[in-house]
Amino acid sequence: MNKQKGQDSKSEFTESGEQFSKLGFIFAAIGSAVGLGNLWKFPYITGKFGGGAFFVMFILCLIVIALPVFIAELAIGRGGRGNASSSFFKLSGSKFWERSGFIGVLAAFLILTFYSVVAGWTLYYAVQSFSGSLFSGGDYNDQFNAFTSSAAPVFWQFVTLAICLFVILKGVSSGIEKFNKILIPGLVIVLILLMVQALRLPGAGAGVEFFLKPDFSKITARSMLEAMGLAFFSMSLGMGAMITFGSYVQKGQSLGAASLAVGGGNLIYALIAGLIIFPTTFAFGIEPAQGPGLVFIVLPAAFSAMPFGSLFGGLFFVLLAMGALTSAVSLLEVPTAYVKSRWSLSRQKAAIYTTIACFVLGVPAALSVGGVWSDIHIFGKNIFDMIDYVASNILLPIAGLVSTIFVGYVWKKAGDEAGLTGFWFKIWMILLRYVSPILILLIFLYSTGIMH
Ligand code: PHE
């Protein structure tokens, strides 16, 4: 149990380098939040559900449900100083809650198996784009299908996981923190460059208008649930990621302030992503409501038609890859931290075993999107979609509910850990007790098809 006074958990963590600096944590959390969710999912879902009105709902969902749960997950991690499962036990002494926390660990592991596939695609597209071969003619749909039906995605997934492993092996402060401190500023520069370029395209104005001028008649119950789910995913909630990161946050850091910074950073990133994608699609007369293929099939066509297209296209995919890698690192850390403490292994061993397991399960996922295993169907879905479905639509909302209910009803000292008192504490509790659980439950019922 507790060591002597003065030798608190803080010094334990500092010794092994298992602690973020204050700024380092903000970078790492932004790195986790900003990812394929913002640049790949957000634009096509926004396009599909009506542009500006959807964006307004996304912002509301970020504030009303994602932010309170974000603070709650960080508090669980920092209060429990354990992994995404053991932290619950340390705070409550209950095996039930420990097992419930494990759902998030499982979600992170499963999500990484296919997230690393898509991250691998972005790496491949970045290379192809810079080398010019992406634009050497041919139909982009065919190119995408030819690539995903070959074995190449397995190689690129391997590269992705190897990079993540390399970062995780170096530990929290000299690995995860450092990696994000280098990549996030790089990402911001590329993001702004591409935005300026997109806004200067002739006809860009129509895209800006579509994205930022809300038409509230387009709001439906379905689009509201989509916005909530996306806000949740985009803030890396329901996967143990913020609980795990929370355990590396210094005691003196304000969780509320950090959460606002991360939420704000994530929102600005989504805003700029929209200001790249919608002006580009509108300038080239492309429908933004294209679905998942938007960035891999539709955007290359736009880049190929603009001056210095292979440069800008290459930069775009580098941006996508950087966002994906920083998120994938945070996903890998969740099961790694679990395996490490569950079986008392070194960080190195835990990270290697977890990565291998993820790769083994990830290969079928990589080969099932048009590849040799695309004919295997489970409940009518290919392996990739099935893992996505189970992790994103079932495990993620359940893990989100676990955090919300635990902080709202079970753990009495959560307010102290989060540093919230008085008015803000009351608001936080109301949101966590009554608002978030109901909304998360609705997302769950809707995304599993129990409710239409
Ligand atoms: N937030 C990431 C994105 O938007 C996805 C993610 C979820 C990463 C959970 C880590 C943990 O792409």
Side-chain angles (χ1 to χ4, degrees), residues 13-240:
F13 276 86
T14 327
E15 273 164 31
S16 52
E18 303 279 272
Q19 194 180 39
F20 287 125
S21 73
K22 285 189 182 171
L23 191 64
F25 163 62
I26 309 261
F27 272 102
I30 290 183
S32 173
V34 160
L36 294 170
N38 304 57
L39 216 53
W40 172 62
K41 255 189 180 171
F42 173 74
Y44 80 75
I45 295 188
T46 305
K48 197 163 146 199
F49 289 100
F54 185 85
F55 189 47
V56 171
M57 282 191 301
F58 178 71
I59 299 176
L60 280 178
C61 293
L62 270 184
I63 300 171
V64 177
I65 56 168
L67 207 58
V69 180
F70 193 86
I71 300 177
E73 292 206 347
L74 288 179
I76 295 172
R78 191 171 67 179
R81 282 284 187 216
N83 59 54
S85 166
S86 65
S87 290
F88 285 95
F89 181 73
K90 292 190 184 169
L91 293 171
S92 65
S94 143
K95 283 278 171 205
F96 169 78
W97 285 105
E98 183 176 33
R99 285 193 204 106
S100 306
F102 181 73
I103 297 171
V105 180
L106 195 62
F109 176 76
L110 289 178
I111 294 225
L112 185 58
T113 60
F114 71 87
Y115 200 90
S116 56
V117 174
V118 184
W121 296 351
T122 66
L123 284 178
Y124 168 80
Y125 267 74
V127 172
Q128 292 292 97
S129 202
F130 275 129
S131 71
S133 40
L134 183 63
F135 305 112
S136 58
D139 183 88
Y140 292 102
N141 203 8
D142 290 348
Q143 285 198 41
F144 181 71
N145 290 338
F147 168 63
T148 49
S149 59
S150 71
V154 174
F155 169 75
W156 291 99
Q157 180 192 28
F158 178 79
V159 175
T160 303
L161 286 172
I163 297 173
C164 294
L165 175 63
F166 177 77
V167 174
I168 296 275
L169 283 177
K170 291 200 166 301
V172 173
S173 67
S174 29
I176 304 176
E177 174 170 335
K178 212 168 182 188
F179 185 63
N180 281 289
K181 274 188 169 162
I182 298 169
L183 254 65
I184 298 293
L187 193 135
V188 171
I189 295 171
V190 180
L191 200 63
I192 293 177
L193 201 80
L194 284 171
M195 178 182 73
V196 171
Q197 190 272 342
L199 290 176
R200 288 177 52 207
L201 292 171
V208 177
E209 189 168 313
F210 171 80
F211 179 44
L212 293 181
K213 204 166 149 207
D215 169 1
F216 289 107
S217 66
K218 287 192 176 152
I219 294 187
T220 58
R222 168 139 195 228
S223 63
M224 271 162 74
L225 290 172
E226 285 281 347
M228 282 191 264
L230 192 62
F232 222 72
F233 182 80
S234 159
M235 288 295 279
S236 303
L237 299 171
M239 283 179 232

